[in-house]
Amino acid sequence: MEHAVQSNFGRETMDNSAMIENDDRRDIKSMTLAELSGEVAALGEKPFRARQLYQWMHQKLARDYGEMTNLPKSFREELRKRYEYTSHTLLDRRVSSLDGTEKYLFGLSDRHVVESVLMRYHFGNSVCISSQVGCRMGCSFCASTIGGLTRNLAPSEMLDQIYSIQRLTGERVTHVVVMGTGEPLDNYDGLTRFLRLLSDENGLNLSQRNITVSTCGLPEKIRKLAEERFQITLALSLHAPTQEKRQILMPIARRYELGEVLDACRYYFETTGRRVTFEYSLVSGLNDSKKDAETLAALLGSFPCHINLIPVNPVSERDYAPPDRRTVAAFKNILEKCGKTCCTIRREMGRDIQGACGQLRKGYMEKGLAE
Ligand code: SAH
């Protein structure tokens, strides 16, 4: 199994890169339409070619220049010589028999791997994408961070996760959550470019209101993101009601005080008018007591927000366990009694296919796909 996947990987890589060695070509799929127009003009091509090219990449989701049949062949050859065209290789696809959730493992051109998840809801299809190869934030309950950070993903490589899934399923992706492997605000420039391309009317034209970016809480970057005036939802990984407890779970909390992070979230709300979501992973015996719930309610006070409770997904390296149903329900009740009416418990999806953050990728790196 492992061998078959490896050889498939090699073949696909050769096809995609047309065997160009020392590839220092620029990444065409990460360019905005305005940038592309400049490139097309410099090549002496007619201006309307830029929009055609952009639409091939971001609307028709072409996997290669070869598919762009209404572009002159000579132009396509010129493009191939000058610009890299990213395209993911499908390494694994697992479908949950419980809820139809699909987990994908994709190979990148440098042989690193990323994972993405497709979740089907009544309101549409939501894709959870990765923003980095690995992660350096070190949260103690998260599988994505175990091998550290390898590199940022290019905007094109974030888009390709969505494009590949839309192509493979033939179903439109309506919502995107940047909640896979990586810390999106640690890849700030890549993330913001990705958001612009994803919501561009000449591309997939995804409504920014249907995009959520989840962060472990980097205050300067949260403020900077607010200034961009996107209409996206910001989700903050809070996970604890006090600075002390947050530090146990999240090393990044040692760098930024809880108050500073919450101030940045308030700034985000005031600047964009978008209600912030607070994610709270419940760990048995650590942050799930009645007192924790009360402290959390007091901490958030009257701040208009949404709280998302997530019973922690056990990762083999850590001995964290989720609380039982009753404890989760009691926690939720206390929050609601304190006026936090918009509190929801995240539905656990794809448990049978290693649905939690970074687990499939980690399994692949350790053992190949044979397991
Ligand atoms: N780095 C970003 C986004 C990636 S993680 C962030 O920290 O928000 C997406 C969400 O899943 C975060 O809230 C994260 O804390 C949570 N998460 C990661 N591993 C988990 C696990 N094993 N159980 C429950 N939640 C987890």
Side-chain angles (χ1 to χ4, degrees):
M1 178 69 187
E2 187 177 355
H3 176 74
V5 169
Q6 290 293 341
S7 60
N8 178 39
F9 192 102
R11 198 184 66 234
E12 290 273 336
T13 304
M14 269 157 51
D15 286 346
N16 290 343
S17 63
M19 298 189 73
I20 291 176
E21 281 172 26
N22 297 326
D23 195 352
D24 55 2
R25 296 171 302 159
R26 278 180 300 148
D27 168 11
I28 197 165
K29 217 186 274 179
S30 291
M31 291 180 188
T32 62
L33 180 54
E35 289 166 347
L36 211 52
S37 298
E39 300 289 326
V40 166
L43 288 174
E45 272 294 332
K46 298 193 185 75
F48 73 90
R49 295 284 183 214
R51 189 175 303 261
Q52 276 185 323
L53 181 55
Y54 191 90
Q55 289 174 341
W56 271 114
M57 292 191 283
H58 301 285
Q59 237 167 34
K60 299 181 193 165
L61 314 184
R63 274 183 60 88
D64 185 30
Y65 295 114
E67 289 183 21
M68 305 179 181
T69 44
N70 64 355
L71 298 184
K73 210 164 174 215
S74 56
F75 180 42
R76 281 187 266 152
E77 285 314 313
E78 200 57 38
L79 291 172
R80 196 189 303 279
K81 260 189 254 158
R82 285 168 190 268
Y83 309 104
E84 178 197 7
Y85 196 95
T86 60
S87 181
H88 291 342
T89 306
L90 179 65
L91 295 180
D92 194 13
R93 178 181 185 177
R94 296 186 185 187
V95 184
S96 165
S97 53
L98 302 175
D99 52 34
T101 294
E102 296 188 15
K103 188 117 193 180
Y104 293 83
L105 198 64
F106 294 116
L108 309 174
S109 56
D110 60 2
R111 299 193 171 214
H112 289 302
V113 294
V114 288
E115 62 179 72
S116 325
V117 188
L118 165 69
M119 291 159 289
R120 294 190 171 88
Y121 294 102
H122 62 278
F123 54 75
N125 285 341
S126 181
V127 168
C128 173
I129 65 150
S130 298
S131 55
Q132 296 180 312
V133 180
C135 182
R136 58 176 175 156
M137 297 299 146
C139 296
S140 62
F141 48 83
C142 180
S144 293
T145 202
I146 288 166
L149 175 69
T150 302
R151 69 170 175 86
N152 281 331
L153 289 179
S156 57
E157 293 172 318
M158 291 188 245
L159 291 167
D160 281 338
Q161 297 171 58
I162 301 159
Y163 295 177
S164 299
I165 291 176
Q166 186 155 311
R167 272 185 72 121
L168 286 161
T169 59
E171 296 172 36
R172 185 161 163 75
V173 173
T174 58
H175 293 68
V176 168
V177 294
V178 188
M179 285 190 186
T181 300
E183 168 47 47
L185 298 188
D186 190 34
N187 179 10
Y188 187 87
D189 293 341
L191 174 81
T192 46
R193 183 173 273 268
F194 157 79
L195 294 171
R196 291 200 173 86
L197 294 168
L198 182 61
S199 55
D200 189 292
E201 59 181 3
N202 289 293
L204 271 199
N205 195 13
L206 209 85
S207 164
Q208 289 186 356
R209 291 174 170 266
N210 292 356
I211 304 173
T212 299
V213 171
S214 176
T215 176
C216 63
L218 310 177
E220 301 101 341
K221 298 286 171 56
I222 291 175
R223 285 173 185 272
K224 198 169 169 198
L225 188 68
E227 302 288 349
E228 310 270 358
R229 300 288 202 281
F230 291 128
Q231 280 297 294
I232 61 166
T233 301
L234 179 74
L236 181 89
S237 296
L238 186 58
H239 304 325
T242 61
Q243 170 67 15
E244 210 181 21
K245 282 201 178 176
R246 198 162 185 262
Q247 277 180 207
I248 299 173
L249 293 166
M250 308 174 75
I252 194 70
R254 284 182 224 140
R255 175 117 57 100
Y256 303 107
E257 281 281 327
L258 184 51
E260 197 186 343
V261 178
L262 291 179
D263 281 349
C265 290
R266 268 186 210 101
Y267 182 77
Y268 188 89
F269 171 68
E270 283 156 14
T271 313
T272 62
R274 301 287 295 158
R275 195 177 274 244
V276 174
T277 295
F278 290 103
E279 293 163 281
Y280 194 101
S281 294
L282 286 159
V283 182
S284 180
L286 211 152
N287 63 2
D288 65 340
S289 71
K290 283 182 180 168
K291 173 103 191 302
D292 289 323
E294 284 158 7
T295 314
L296 177 63
L299 178 74
L300 298 177
S302 57
F303 185 46
C305 60
H306 184 98
I307 302 173
N308 209 340
L309 298 176
I310 318 156
V312 76
N313 222 318
V315 172
S316 53
E317 282 78 0
R318 321 288 191 196
D319 52 5
Y320 291 146
D324 57 36
R325 275 167 171 269
R326 260 218 227 135
T327 309
V328 177
F331 197 94
K332 178 174 187 280
N333 263 336
I334 294 171
L335 288 176
E336 287 177 345
K337 271 199 198 122
C338 297
K340 296 280 152 210
T341 49
C342 48
C343 166
T344 51
I345 299 171
R346 188 184 286 178
R347 249 195 321 145
E348 190 180 25
M349 299 184 84
R351 196 189 179 116
D352 54 333
I353 52 164
Q354 295 182 299
C357 225
Q359 291 196 100
L360 186 61
R361 176 173 164 269
K362 190 167 70 62
Y364 173 80
M365 293 193 307
E366 284 164 2
K367 307 186 191 101
L369 292 173
E371 64 166 27

